[in-house]
Amino acid sequence: MTVSIIIVSYNVKYFLEQCLCSVEKAIKGLDAEVIVVDNASVDGSVAYLQESFPTVRYIASQQNLGFAKACNLGLSQAQGSYILFLNPDTLLAEDTLAICLDFFNTHPQAGAIGVRMIDGSGQFLRESKRSFPAPVTSFYKLTGLARIFPHSRRFGKYHLGYLPQHTNHEVDVLAGAYMLVSKAVLDEVGSFDETFFMYGEDVDLSYRIQKAGYKNYYVADTTIVHFKGESTKRGSLNYVKLFYQAMSLFVRKHYGGTKADIFTFSIQLAIGVRAMLTAVAKLIRKIGLPAIDAILILVCFWLVKSIWANYVRPEVPYSAKLVGVSFLVFTLIYLTVSYYAGLYNRYYRKAVLVRSTFLATLVILAAYALLPEHLRFSRGILAFGALLAFGVLSLWRWMLIKAGLLQQQIEDRDKPYLLVAGTPGEYERIQQFLNAHKLGDKLIGRVAVNGEDPTALTTIDRVSTVTLPLHATELLFCAGTYSYKDILMQLPKIKTNLRFRFHAVGSSSIVGSDSSSNSGEVLATGSHFKLDRPAERRIKRLVDVMTSVLFLFTTPLHFLFVEKPGTFLYYCLLVLFGRRTWVGYGTCAMGLPPLRKNILLPNGWPKNKANAMREESMALIDHYYASDYDAMQDLALIMKNYQHLGN
């Protein structure tokens, strides 16, 4: 057998589906096998893919082994003369493997090959070619000098920025996202070191290959997409720690002595500095929009108060201190309610702003009604202040959307925004696909991929010229008649702010990723669960927290009414601190949104009664619970079973 492709997957079944579609085309005409090692995914990856890709060999691990160990598990069953370690969030061109295998034939000293990689927006990924880590190069990378001077031989050494990306080069390090290695070389130098759980194992293997006298090559004759951001968020503190700890492990293993000590110290110092900067940046990102909203809401309340005091009720004195404290409290209530209503989700929805304002106003007026008489000033100020805040926040969100700083939820975009690059038949199938998701009205039209076509809006090479007049924001590539190779060649040529989406003809999903630092976007056939939505999960968590706090504050009562009050209070603490949830699944819930361990089943039974039902019946109940989640239903179940919650 010529080549074995080993893919390690963890909860990315739709990206893996698109990856396998591209792999199928890349191995056409080759004697090849594909091995998928599933690292204990909970999204039902194997069951989802087996029917569509029956020739793929699946190895389902019962635990997350990490990348290196899972790759080695796949390698133990591989039969190819060459081994391709491939990430699941990649798309290959039809000739990628053939080009790399030909390169091996013409370069007998080649031990391993990597390729030119771009992200989901068409941007070149610098980790396609790297040098070995050293204290000074890591320092330049950590301090940002490498990013400021990417093409410098000194500062840009880590990513070899001074080497042209469109030219083949001998390099030190190849990325584990696509690493084609001779099996004979692996037999000689060994495979991935399982000491590395995530990151660093590709650096270590590249070093051992080079140390054994072979060469690592970066081949720019072919390009692949690597969406990234599907495991650990790039740029997050967790990523920084994992990555640089892996680099430190590499240096201690291969360099040793004083150099390793200096490197380890500098890494720990740099991680500390980076952690502080990351925490500050994360805080700014998290509180930036809410902080501006808070200022706008305070201004609105204060403006309404001024108008009210001067023109509506000038005879009523208003204590500046009382009003100021009240407005701060009401603003905090407004923001808290808005958060749980979903106003600060990744995407903006106008309906959420309306709901947030309505709920916040109700809560504020209810809180106001509970205040002693001497602390009240005017319901009118609160009501009109909330109304003005709604108008100002709506205008503020509109400005952010127009500036491209905030994205609307798909279903809230009033105008069509999606172009589809494909044939008429492929466009029709995409239209049916989107209609099933109630998104058919978001289609603008078709972009021709085979030259002039009077039935299309434009051709793919001229799509940049029509983006603005058509108000298009996304371009969906259908990989069918239009090859992956042509798509990957076209991506960097499209000079607009279009976001790219990818769909293999015949598959059941659409994927894309607008940034290498964020998780990608997925649209797939099949059921969609309300519990997948961040807002619903926050509300569920809020129900858990509020009920637990209420139960703990009323502890003496439970000794009168609850069957096992001690156990009940223990459960309250577990739920409060996020170790349990009051209501959850009765099955292993493969393919359903993950939940914490539960006390009650969705049908109101205690968890220990799950075995009393047939598994398929319980699975159906779990499915409906995730699909149609209702916080009021959780509350009803908790209160109905109050006496038995300690059992």
Side-chain angles (χ1 to χ4, degrees), residues 342-343 347-357 390 393-395 397-398 401 406-415 442:
L343 185 60
Y347 295 105
Y348 166 64
R349 297 182 62 195
K350 287 181 287 188
V352 171
L353 180 59
V354 174
R355 183 173 64 190
S356 299
T357 303
F390 169 74
L393 292 182
S394 297
L395 178 62
R397 293 302 191 277
W398 178 82
I401 290 169
L406 187 66
Q407 295 181 28
Q408 273 185 291
Q409 188 79 14
I410 288 176
E411 57 263 31
D412 283 354
R413 301 181 201 174
D414 297 326
K415 297 179 181 179
K442 308 307 178 186

Side-chain angles (χ1 to χ4, degrees), residues 58-331:
Y58 299 93
I59 304 174
S61 172
Q62 298 304 307
Q63 58 179 322
N64 189 345
L65 303 173
F67 181 77
K69 197 168 185 177
C71 280
N72 291 346
L73 179 59
L75 179 63
S76 67
Q77 299 190 22
Q79 302 173 25
S81 301
Y82 295 94
I83 307 296
L84 173 61
F85 298 107
L86 183 68
N87 269 28
D89 53 346
T90 55
L91 297 176
L92 308 187
E94 286 79 359
D95 60 355
T96 294
L97 272 171
I99 287 174
C100 291
L101 292 172
D102 286 343
F103 193 94
F104 263 116
N105 292 332
T106 56
H107 294 75
Q109 286 302 307
I113 289 175
V115 296
R116 181 177 179 269
M117 299 189 297
I118 58 176
D119 64 17
S121 64
Q123 299 298 310
F124 174 67
L125 292 173
R126 298 182 302 159
E127 59 265 35
S128 300
K129 48 184 176 63
R130 288 175 289 168
S131 66
F132 291 123
V136 67
T137 54
S138 296
F139 174 78
Y140 294 149
K141 184 177 187 295
L142 278 164
T143 56
L145 289 170
R147 186 171 290 276
I148 298 172
F149 305 105
H151 305 299
S152 165
R153 282 188 172 270
R154 175 185 292 273
F155 300 123
K157 185 178 180 182
Y158 183 80
H159 285 117
L160 303 175
Y162 51 89
L163 298 179
Q165 60 170 288
H166 294 288
T167 306
N168 299 340
H169 300 287
E170 181 185 341
V171 297
D172 289 334
V173 178
L174 302 174
Y178 181 103
M179 195 172 188
L180 183 63
V181 192
S182 165
K183 180 61 163 56
V185 171
L186 287 175
D187 290 339
E188 180 180 342
V189 305
S191 186
F192 289 119
D193 184 344
E194 296 177 6
T195 309
F196 298 88
F197 181 81
M198 183 181 289
Y199 309 120
E201 63 282 309
D202 49 1
V203 181
D204 174 73
L205 181 56
S206 297
Y207 183 86
R208 285 186 280 118
I209 290 172
Q210 197 179 87
K211 196 77 172 175
Y214 300 98
K215 295 181 179 180
N216 298 317
Y217 283 99
Y218 162 78
V219 176
D221 297 333
T222 183
T223 299
I224 70 169
V225 170
H226 181 205
F227 291 106
K228 296 177 57 176
E230 297 311 309
S231 299
T232 302
K233 288 186 178 181
R234 322 293 278 200
S236 69
L237 178 57
N238 191 39
Y239 164 74
V240 171
K241 288 175 66 177
L242 285 172
F243 182 81
Y244 287 107
Q245 284 171 358
M247 295 303 99
S248 181
L249 176 60
F250 169 82
V251 171
R252 287 198 305 271
K253 176 180 177 180
H254 293 292
Y255 297 159
T258 305
K259 188 174 184 179
D261 293 336
I262 295 173
F263 184 87
T264 301
F265 173 77
S266 62
I267 285 296
Q268 295 303 321
L269 178 64
I271 287 176
V273 173
R274 186 67 175 266
M276 182 180 67
L277 295 175
T278 300
V280 171
K282 186 176 181 180
L283 182 65
I284 292 173
R285 284 196 301 271
K286 275 190 172 294
I287 71 169
L289 188 56
I292 295 173
D293 285 351
I295 293 171
L296 293 176
I297 294 168
L298 280 171
V299 169
C300 289
F301 277 134
W302 200 266
L303 182 60
V304 169
K305 178 260 178 186
S306 299
I307 295 173
W308 202 267
N310 290 318
Y311 300 103
V312 180
R313 299 290 300 274
E315 73 281 3
V316 178
Y318 296 99
S319 167
K321 185 175 181 179
L322 172 62
V323 172
V325 172
S326 299
F327 284 174
L328 284 173
V329 172
F330 293 149
T331 298

Side-chain angles (χ1 to χ4, degrees), residues 262-555:
I262 295 173
F263 184 87
T264 301
F265 173 77
S266 62
I267 285 296
Q268 295 303 321
L269 178 64
I271 287 176
V273 173
R274 186 67 175 266
M276 182 180 67
L277 295 175
T278 300
V280 171
K282 186 176 181 180
L283 182 65
I284 292 173
R285 284 196 301 271
K286 275 190 172 294
I287 71 169
L289 188 56
I292 295 173
D293 285 351
I295 293 171
L296 293 176
I297 294 168
L298 280 171
V299 169
C300 289
F301 277 134
W302 200 266
L303 182 60
V304 169
K305 178 260 178 186
S306 299
I307 295 173
W308 202 267
N310 290 318
Y311 300 103
V312 180
R313 299 290 300 274
E315 73 281 3
V316 178
Y318 296 99
S319 167
K321 185 175 181 179
L322 172 62
V323 172
V325 172
S326 299
F327 284 174
L328 284 173
V329 172
F330 293 149
T331 298
L332 181 61
I333 292 173
Y334 195 111
L335 293 177
T336 302
V337 172
S338 297
Y339 171 78
Y340 281 105
L343 185 60
Y344 299 106
N345 285 354
R346 182 175 179 181
Y347 295 105
Y348 166 64
R349 297 182 62 195
K350 287 181 287 188
V352 171
L353 180 59
V354 174
R355 183 173 64 190
S356 299
T357 303
F358 177 73
L359 291 176
T361 304
L362 286 180
V363 172
I364 289 171
L365 290 176
Y368 174 84
L370 296 174
L371 291 175
E373 188 67 34
H374 67 281
L375 293 179
R376 302 180 190 176
F377 43 91
S378 173
R379 288 189 182 89
I381 293 176
L382 297 179
F384 284 104
L387 185 62
L388 180 60
F390 169 74
V392 171
L393 292 182
S394 297
L395 178 62
W396 170 231
R397 293 302 191 277
W398 178 82
M399 293 169 62
L400 290 176
I401 290 169
K402 289 298 181 182
L405 300 175
L406 187 66
Q407 295 181 28
Q408 273 185 291
Q409 188 79 14
I410 288 176
E411 57 263 31
D412 283 354
R413 301 181 201 174
D414 297 326
K415 297 179 181 179
Y417 63 88
L418 177 63
L419 293 170
V420 176
T423 64
E426 291 165 351
Y427 178 80
E428 185 177 343
R429 285 190 289 272
I430 286 294
Q431 195 168 33
Q432 293 171 356
F433 181 95
L434 294 177
N435 283 335
H437 288 269
K438 300 180 180 179
L439 296 173
D441 61 332
K442 308 307 178 186
L443 278 171
I444 297 176
R446 185 173 66 87
V447 176
V449 295
N450 291 326
E452 297 293 339
D453 186 340
T455 65
L457 295 172
T458 186
T459 57
I460 190 64
D461 56 325
R462 292 202 293 265
V463 69
S464 299
T465 62
V466 302
T467 300
L468 194 60
L470 291 177
H471 302 288
T473 59
E474 292 185 9
L475 175 61
L476 170 61
F477 289 101
C478 290
T481 303
Y482 199 42
S483 69
Y484 284 105
K485 182 178 180 179
D486 290 336
I487 292 172
L488 299 181
M489 289 177 61
Q490 189 65 40
L491 285 181
K493 298 178 183 178
I494 300 176
K495 305 298 182 182
T496 67
N497 291 325
L498 282 172
R499 294 187 290 272
F500 301 129
R501 304 290 179 251
F502 304 85
H503 169 76
V505 173
S507 69
S508 302
S509 59
I510 296 171
V511 302
S513 179
D514 308 324
S515 166
S516 61
S517 60
N518 291 318
S519 295
E521 300 294 321
V522 169
L523 183 63
T525 57
S527 299
H528 288 267
F529 303 105
K530 286 183 70 175
L531 272 179
D532 264 331
R533 302 174 187 171
E536 300 294 344
R537 298 182 71 83
R538 277 200 299 270
I539 291 173
K540 180 172 176 59
R541 179 64 185 142
L542 180 63
V543 168
D544 282 348
V545 170
M546 296 303 292
T547 51
S548 298
V549 169
L550 176 63
F551 288 147
L552 290 170
F553 269 115
T554 55
T555 293

Side-chain angles (χ1 to χ4, degrees), residues 6-55:
I6 299 173
I7 305 173
V8 175
S9 173
Y10 179 67
N11 291 332
V12 286
K13 65 180 179 183
Y14 299 120
F15 281 90
L16 178 55
E17 177 185 27
Q18 297 300 315
C19 173
L20 291 174
C21 287
S22 72
V23 167
E24 276 189 338
K25 294 188 174 184
I27 63 176
K28 194 173 183 179
L30 296 175
D31 185 13
E33 64 177 352
V34 181
I35 301 171
V36 170
V37 182
D38 184 77
N39 249 343
S41 297
V42 294
D43 63 353
S45 297
V46 175
Y48 174 77
L49 295 166
Q50 276 179 322
E51 185 176 349
S52 299
F53 305 96
T55 60

